[in-house]
Amino acid sequence: TALASVDAEKMLELLGMPTIPIMPGAVSGADVRRIVAAIRRGSSLNVSLDGPIGPYRRAALGIVRIAQITGAPLIPIGFSQSMRFHLNTWDRLLVPLPFQRMIYFCGEPLFVAPHSKAADLEDARSEIERRLSQATDLADAAVARRFA
């Protein structure tokens, strides 16, 4: 998992999930090389597409470039919970309450061709953003129907 929060890193390590710490707004070439190497070793990368500094629900181009380099698919996963609240932050961080039910929706994987041009990368960025929003909206609607 690539992340920018020390607290999140500690929490994920307690759960046995390896992390690659990333500083907000400052993804370096070394960071990208570490991420690419981890994916090539068979690791999955779980990342919030809008990154650590936003804007909300706007996918960053970096993850599309990593998919282009590695050939790994981008798989949008949206989720929602029956009892939760949102923090008043730029990303409207969802905080699940204990012992709640959660629904996940996985969208179609998106592959990025290795020889994509800049316009193709932007199209892929826009498409994965759309697919992630769709999966999240479907999960929210399913929770509202099932647990309301």
Side-chain angles (χ1 to χ4, degrees):
T1 299
L3 68 154
S5 165
V6 172
D7 292 334
E9 181 179 0
K10 288 177 184 175
M11 181 180 70
L12 290 170
E13 285 176 358
L14 286 172
L15 296 171
M17 298 174 74
T19 61
I20 300 173
I22 304 291
M23 294 307 298
V27 177
S28 69
D31 293 332
V32 171
R33 285 189 295 279
R34 287 192 341 246
I35 292 167
V36 168
I39 292 170
R40 287 185 173 153
R41 285 191 308 269
S43 295
S44 295
L45 178 67
N46 304 297
V47 64
S48 174
L49 288 185
D50 49 14
I53 57 173
Y56 177 63
R57 281 199 178 188
R58 175 107 171 124
L61 193 56
I63 195 65
V64 173
R65 288 191 176 133
I66 290 170
Q68 177 192 26
I69 293 167
T70 63
L74 297 172
I75 303 171
I77 302 172
F79 69 93
S80 190
Q81 289 143 273
S82 58
M83 297 286 289
R84 74 228 187 238
F85 65 92
H86 292 272
L87 295 181
N88 190 21
T89 58
W90 69 265
D91 61 353
R92 299 171 188 90
L93 180 66
L94 183 143
V95 179
L97 297 175
F99 311 108
Q100 298 310 306
R101 296 179 184 204
M102 182 178 286
I103 292 180
Y104 290 88
F105 274 91
C106 296
E108 283 290 316
L110 178 69
F111 290 88
V112 181
H115 300 294
S116 296
K117 304 289 185 226
D120 300 323
L121 295 176
E122 174 54 30
D123 289 346
R125 187 210 60 76
S126 179
E127 180 61 16
I128 196 62
E129 181 179 283
R130 185 192 68 75
R131 291 181 190 189
L132 180 60
S133 286
Q134 181 182 38
T136 302
D137 292 345
L138 286 168
D140 285 343
V143 162
R145 281 191 313 272
R146 184 156 184 180
F147 304 116

